[in-house]
Amino acid sequence: MTARRLKLFRCSIKTVSTEVTSAINAVRQGRLHPAQFFTRYGHLRPGSYNIRSLRYADRNDLFSGSPPSQETTEAIDFVLTLSERHHINQLLKQATLDSINADSLIKYMSQAIAARELSKFVFSRFLSGALEAIATWGITHDFDREALSYLTLDDLMACLDNGCDNPAGIQQARETISHYRHIFQLQKQVKIGQIITKIEDLDVIRMEQGKVNFIGNGRVEAKTVALTPKQQTTQNLSKMIVCIENADPGFDWIFTQQIAGLVTCFGGPNSHMAIRCHEFGLPAALGCGEMLYLQIQQSENVILDCENQTLRPWRVFG
C-alpha cells in the first residue's frame, strides 16, 4: 500500500472526536442546544489530568467565533484495490493468519482505532468527575485548584484517612502542599537530559532533537500561536499554526477554528492528535522534541512542509 493510499485509509476513520467538533459547530449554528452538548461532552478538558484546567462545561468561551460555512470533514469510503487485497492476503497467509482476510483486517483496524478513541473519551468522563470531586472538597477547606495540584492521590487519601473534615488531615494537606510547592520551585531550576547513559550526562546536558512525525502532505507558511490548557477559545487561531506541548482530546476545540497546521512537542504517529489530523487532512508535525519545539514556538512565522518533512522558521520581508 502506497503512502498516499495509507493516508486515504487514515482519513476514512471517524472517531468520537469528530462528533465533538461537529457538535461545537452545531451549537454555534443554533442546531444544538448548549445543554445537550454539555450533557455528552461537558466533562472534557484540555489536559485531561490537569485539575487547574476547566472542563468544557465550566467555560463561557467554548462557542465563540463563527462556524465554518460547511463541515470540514467528509465521509470517505475506503475500499482496497484488487492489487492491495491480493498482496495483503498473501502476507496474511505467510503469517498463518488464515482466519481473516484483507477486507476483514482493514475493517478491524478501522474499528479498533475508533474504539480506542472512544475508550479514552469514556475514561476521561470518570477522570474528570474525580477531579471535580477533589476540587469541590478543596473549596470547602479553602484549597484552590492550584494548591490541590501539588497533592498526589496517595497524599490526598492519607490526609482523608480519618474523614473528609478531620482537622489533623486538613492540616496535613496544607503542610504537604507547602512542601511540594517548594520542591517544585527547586526542580524548575534543574535541567537534565532525556536519556542518561553515563555520569558525564549529568554535567553536560544535550538537548536532542526528536524524530518529527509529519502528518499529511500539505505545505503551509503561517504565523504561530502557542496554547496552554487554560487558553481561551476566544483567541483568533484562523489560518495559524498552533503549537501545543502535549495535546489530548480536550484540545479538540481547536479543529473548529480553521487552523492552518499543528505542531506538538510530544506525541507519536499513533497519538490522538495524529488520528485527528488525518481525519481533517491537516498538516502537522508531532513529537518534534523540546529543542525544535521551543525554536518553533518562539518563531513568529513557520514553514511546515509535510511532503518534504521540513519544519523551520521563516522570515517575512517587506
Side-chain angles (χ1 to χ4, degrees):
M1 187 179 294
T2 64
R4 176 182 170 277
R5 290 285 292 165
L6 180 59
K7 175 187 174 184
L8 189 63
F9 165 68
R10 287 170 168 165
C11 290
S12 71
I13 302 170
K14 300 305 174 187
T15 71
V16 66
S17 296
T18 301
E19 297 177 17
V20 176
T21 52
S22 295
I24 290 176
N25 287 328
V27 174
R28 289 173 172 173
Q29 295 168 342
R31 296 184 288 107
L32 182 68
H33 194 279
Q36 293 175 285
F37 175 90
F38 289 132
T39 296
R40 178 161 173 76
Y41 308 112
H43 66 279
L44 293 172
R45 73 179 79 221
S48 298
Y49 291 85
N50 189 347
I51 196 172
R52 302 188 192 188
S53 178
L54 295 179
R55 301 175 302 169
Y56 280 8
D58 298 323
R59 303 182 67 158
N60 57 14
D61 63 328
L62 189 63
F63 306 118
S64 62
S66 302
S69 56
Q70 60 183 14
E71 289 293 335
T72 54
T73 56
E74 298 180 359
I76 298 175
D77 186 18
F78 181 83
V79 179
L80 291 170
T81 66
L82 291 177
S83 176
E84 289 168 344
R85 187 176 291 110
H86 170 73
H87 284 97
I88 293 175
N89 281 330
Q90 287 294 106
L91 291 172
L92 290 171
K93 185 177 180 179
Q94 293 176 17
T96 66
L97 297 174
D98 301 323
S99 60
I100 60 174
N101 57 33
D103 290 308
S104 61
L105 176 63
I106 290 296
K107 181 179 179 180
Y108 168 78
M109 292 168 62
S110 179
Q111 291 177 339
I113 292 172
R116 187 188 76 160
E117 296 306 306
L118 178 60
S119 67
K120 292 179 185 177
F121 176 81
V122 173
F123 171 74
S124 67
R125 181 182 294 277
F126 293 98
L127 173 62
S128 186
L131 291 177
E132 289 311 297
I134 294 171
T136 299
W137 173 83
I139 291 173
T140 62
H141 298 289
D142 201 26
F143 295 125
D144 61 17
R145 291 175 182 265
E146 187 273 340
L148 292 170
S149 68
Y150 291 100
L151 292 175
T152 67
L153 183 58
D154 288 340
D155 292 332
L156 185 62
M157 297 306 293
C159 296
L160 304 180
D161 193 39
N162 294 318
C164 294
D165 297 317
N166 175 33
I170 304 300
Q171 180 58 32
Q172 181 181 344
R174 289 196 177 93
E175 292 173 358
T176 302
I177 290 169
S178 178
H179 171 72
Y180 282 120
R181 186 181 277 127
H182 175 68
I183 294 297
F184 177 70
Q185 294 301 321
L186 292 177
Q187 290 176 338
K188 285 173 61 177
Q189 302 177 41
V190 178
K191 185 68 177 179
I192 62 174
Q194 294 180 341
I195 300 177
I196 298 175
T197 60
K198 53 186 180 299
I199 294 179
E200 288 77 10
D201 291 337
L202 297 174
D203 298 320
V204 180
I205 308 303
R206 296 176 176 84
M207 299 296 293
E208 303 291 342
Q209 180 172 325
K211 184 182 184 302
V212 183
N213 301 286
F214 289 95
I215 305 299
N217 299 315
R219 184 182 190 278
V220 61
E221 301 176 3
K223 292 184 177 181
T224 62
V225 57
L227 298 186
T228 66
K230 294 198 276 188
Q231 198 77 41
Q232 296 288 302
T233 63
T234 50
Q235 184 168 354
N236 181 23
L237 306 182
S238 179
K239 299 180 181 179
M240 302 190 75
I241 295 176
V242 173
C243 300
I244 308 175
E245 277 197 12
N246 188 20
D248 61 17
F251 279 101
D252 279 351
W253 63 267
I254 67 173
F255 296 108
T256 68
Q257 303 293 313
Q258 293 89 57
I259 65 175
L262 178 67
V263 175
T264 69
C265 183
F266 308 104
N270 296 315
S271 64
H272 172 80
M273 279 304 179
I275 294 171
R276 294 299 282 126
C277 291
H278 280 301
E279 285 184 70
F280 280 101
L282 184 73
L286 308 182
C288 59
E290 293 182 69
M291 183 171 65
L292 179 57
Y293 178 79
L294 185 61
Q295 182 183 13
I296 295 301
Q297 183 188 42
Q298 295 177 344
S299 302
E300 183 178 357
N301 302 281
V302 166
I303 292 178
L304 171 57
D305 186 345
C306 296
E307 184 172 1
N308 294 306
Q309 300 199 344
T310 300
L311 175 65
R312 61 178 176 83
W314 67 292
R315 294 183 62 187
V316 180
F317 297 93

